[in-house]
Amino acid sequence: MRIIIYTGKGGVGKTSIAAATAVKLARQGKRTLILSTDAAHSLADSMGISIGADPIQISENLWGKK
């Protein structure tokens, strides 16, 4: 199991990079869960799907949770 955490100040692209990384890993066949701790809806906006407290499948091998 691998855990990747993106940190830094606001507005530097953490959500965009995390979303892109999650999609790439899922496409490589790795089971991937992307989590957001941000109160904003930016991860849901990046993924184009509503993400809540329960994991939701976004695509093959990819789930999201807030």
Side-chain angles (χ1 to χ4, degrees):
M1 178 173 42
R2 175 182 290 178
I3 298 172
I4 302 172
I5 300 173
Y6 293 100
T7 65
K9 57 187 279 186
V12 297
K14 296 179 299 293
T15 300
S16 298
I17 295 298
T21 301
V23 169
K24 179 176 180 166
L25 292 172
R27 286 182 180 167
Q28 290 176 350
K30 295 177 173 72
R31 292 184 308 157
T32 305
L33 173 65
I34 186 165
L35 301 170
S36 175
T37 59
D38 192 347
H41 296 263
S42 53
L43 178 59
D45 293 341
S46 292
M47 293 298 190
I49 192 168
S50 180
I51 297 175
D54 295 319
I56 185 167
Q57 189 162 7
I58 298 169
S59 65
E60 186 177 357
N61 296 318
L62 179 59
W63 291 264
K65 181 178 178 356
K66 186 165 181 153

